[in-house]
């Protein structure tokens, strides 16, 4: 009997030792996890840019990489991933590890426009990412050459109603939606030609090959020089560079597209890493170097944090969904 009791004591003692050891292992793992989170980042960060080199997104992204490196204390490596208006970059970002070492930068339409306009080719939605910050936004507008007779968007619509076929330069499926929506609401038709990017759009208008088109910002200097005019702001508010020109919504067209430059991460980013990145991005975006660049591009300062920039993307996606539904009526 005493031997059995002694055996039970030994078993119990051994079991207790194992339980204590297990608790210590778990506790140590928790401490290690907290230490790891506190140390982030500990290695270089990749920043995918969803546009070709030398464009506005690329220029902003490269200076952001420099200032973010200063804020976080680790190299930020730029990698251009072009195609589908930022869609290819977004797809790669969506499937990257959610560890804070892979970020992406693109205009807002990569997230809000592509899933709505090209649903068959886009396998993600706005909610499939951790959106972290906005860097700035373009000056989106419908523009024409100053040599054309059109002073306002109403002049273009009136010309279409009286037998003319105003030519619209479209540089993407999104800009095509804007033209189709205006035509649907106004009960007119435009002739649409396809161009590659903002540069070709500007050439088409200044060269007389198109009557009007959608610009994300390169028109600003030409407007200032008297060579182009803004017909309407395509954003939710009037443009800082053309405050006297009404928005499309003011003119009765319930559509807006503001081309916000957005920094995002893969989905399910840990909260502590997200907060660290958010702080670093805010510091980087508000740095003197970034502010000087944004001013030189004639873009507005437009920093938004994670919650605010996500709301902007969701609202833009909803607006585009309504516009497409109206076009199909």
């Amino acid at each position: 009997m005493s031997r059995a009791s002694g055996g039970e004591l030994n078993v119990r003692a051994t079991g207790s030792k194992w339980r204590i050891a297990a608790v210590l292992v778990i506790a140590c793992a928790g401490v290690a996890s907290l230490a790891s989170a506190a140390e982030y980042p500990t290695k270089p960060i990749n920043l995918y840019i969803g546009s070709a080199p030398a464009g506005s997104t690329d220029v902003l992204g490269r200076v952001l990489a420099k200032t973010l490196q200063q804020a976080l204390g680790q190299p930020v490596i730029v990698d251009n991933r072009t195609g589908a208006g930022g869609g290819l970059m977004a797809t790669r970002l969506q499937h990257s590890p959610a560890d804070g070492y892979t970020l992406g930068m693109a205009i807002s339409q990569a997230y809000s426009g592509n899933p709505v306009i090209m649903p068959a080719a886009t396998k993600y939605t706005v909610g499939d990412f951790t959106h972290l910050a906005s860097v700035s936004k373009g000056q989106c507008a419908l523009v024409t050459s100053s040599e054309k007779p059109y002073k306002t968007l109403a002049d273009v619509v009136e010309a279409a109603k009286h037998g003319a076929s105003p030519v619209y330069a479209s540089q993407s499926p999104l800009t095509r939606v804007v033209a189709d929506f205006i035509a649907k609401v106004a009960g007119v038709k435009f002739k649409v030609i396809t161009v590659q990017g903002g540069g070709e759009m500007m050439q088409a208008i200044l060269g007389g090959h198109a009557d009007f088109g959608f610009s994300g910002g390169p028109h600003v200097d030409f407007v200032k020089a008297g060579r182009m005019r803004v017909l309407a702001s395509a954003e939710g508010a009037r443009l800082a560079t053309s405050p006297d020109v009404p928005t499309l919504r003011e003119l009765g067209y319930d559509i807006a597209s503001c081309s916000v430059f957005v920094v995002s991460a893969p989905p399910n980013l840990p909260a502590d890493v997200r907060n660290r990145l958010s702080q670093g991005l805010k510091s980087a975006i508000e740095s003197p170097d970034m502010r000087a660049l944004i001013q030189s591009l004639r873009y507005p300062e437009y920093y938004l944090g994670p919650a605010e920039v996500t709301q902007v993307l969701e609202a833009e996606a909803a607006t585009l969904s309504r516009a497409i539904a109206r076009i199909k009526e």
Side-chain angles (χ1 to χ4, degrees):
M1 186 72 178
S2 60
R3 289 181 183 177
S5 299
E8 288 179 8
L9 288 173
N10 287 335
V11 170
R12 288 174 183 172
T14 302
S16 297
K17 289 178 181 178
W18 279 109
R19 284 194 293 271
I20 292 170
V23 170
L24 288 173
V25 168
I26 293 170
C28 290
V31 170
S33 177
L34 289 173
S36 176
E39 292 170 1
Y40 171 85
T42 60
K43 62 181 182 180
I45 297 168
N46 292 312
L47 175 62
Y48 295 141
I49 296 182
S51 74
S56 297
T57 308
D58 177 71
V59 171
L60 285 165
R62 289 181 182 275
V63 175
L64 178 65
K66 173 186 170 185
T67 57
L68 185 58
Q69 176 174 317
Q70 294 169 351
L72 296 179
Q74 287 290 341
V76 179
I77 302 168
V78 170
D79 186 354
N80 293 83
R81 299 281 174 166
T82 61
L88 294 184
M89 184 283 294
T91 298
R92 185 178 182 88
L93 181 66
Q94 179 191 11
H95 297 291
S96 296
D99 55 9
Y101 293 100
T102 305
L103 305 176
M105 180 169 168
I107 59 172
S108 54
Q109 287 84 14
Y111 305 106
S112 61
N114 285 1
V116 176
I117 298 167
M118 301 180 291
T122 306
K123 305 304 180 183
Y124 60 81
T125 67
V126 169
D128 289 328
F129 303 88
T130 304
H131 302 293
L132 296 168
S134 64
V135 178
S136 180
K137 63 178 179 177
Q139 293 285 277
C140 295
L142 295 181
V143 299
T144 187
S145 167
S146 57
E147 296 183 0
K148 294 289 182 179
Y150 310 117
K151 306 295 183 184
T152 66
L153 181 59
D155 292 338
V156 179
V157 171
E158 281 300 309
K161 286 182 176 179
H162 289 86
S165 295
V167 178
Y168 176 83
S170 172
Q171 52 180 297
S172 70
L174 172 67
T175 62
R176 174 64 186 261
V177 167
V178 174
D180 288 346
F181 181 76
I182 293 170
K184 178 72 175 185
V185 173
V188 298
K189 290 184 178 181
F190 302 129
K191 180 179 180 181
V192 178
I193 62 172
T194 301
V195 296
Q196 299 298 317
E200 283 193 16
M201 183 278 300
M202 300 292 290
Q203 292 175 11
I205 291 178
L206 292 172
H209 308 296
D211 294 296
F212 70 125
F214 184 102
S215 172
H219 64 278
V220 172
D221 287 335
F222 290 93
V223 170
K224 186 176 181 180
R227 298 186 61 191
M228 300 189 79
R229 96 174 37 99
V230 176
L231 297 170
S233 165
E235 298 190 15
R238 295 193 178 195
L239 303 174
T241 51
S242 300
D244 296 332
V245 180
T247 67
L248 286 172
R249 283 188 170 134
E250 288 180 89
L251 297 174
Y253 304 101
D254 184 19
I255 191 169
S257 178
C258 56
S259 290
V260 178
F261 298 99
V262 179
V263 180
S264 305
N268 303 315
L269 190 69
D272 48 5
V273 176
R274 182 194 64 211
N275 293 339
R276 179 74 180 96
L277 276 170
S278 182
Q279 293 167 3
L281 282 164
K282 186 175 190 298
S283 176
I285 292 165
E286 294 179 346
S287 68
D289 285 351
M290 280 302 299
R291 281 179 162 164
L293 174 62
I294 290 168
Q295 184 177 10
S296 72
L297 293 172
R298 301 185 187 278
Y299 290 155
E301 291 186 11
Y302 189 69
Y303 167 78
L304 298 175
E308 294 82 4
V309 74
T310 300
Q311 289 174 358
V312 166
L313 294 172
E314 290 172 344
E316 188 169 78
T319 295
L320 291 172
S321 294
R322 290 195 301 270
I324 291 173
R326 179 66 188 277
I327 291 169
K328 293 179 178 179
E329 289 178 352

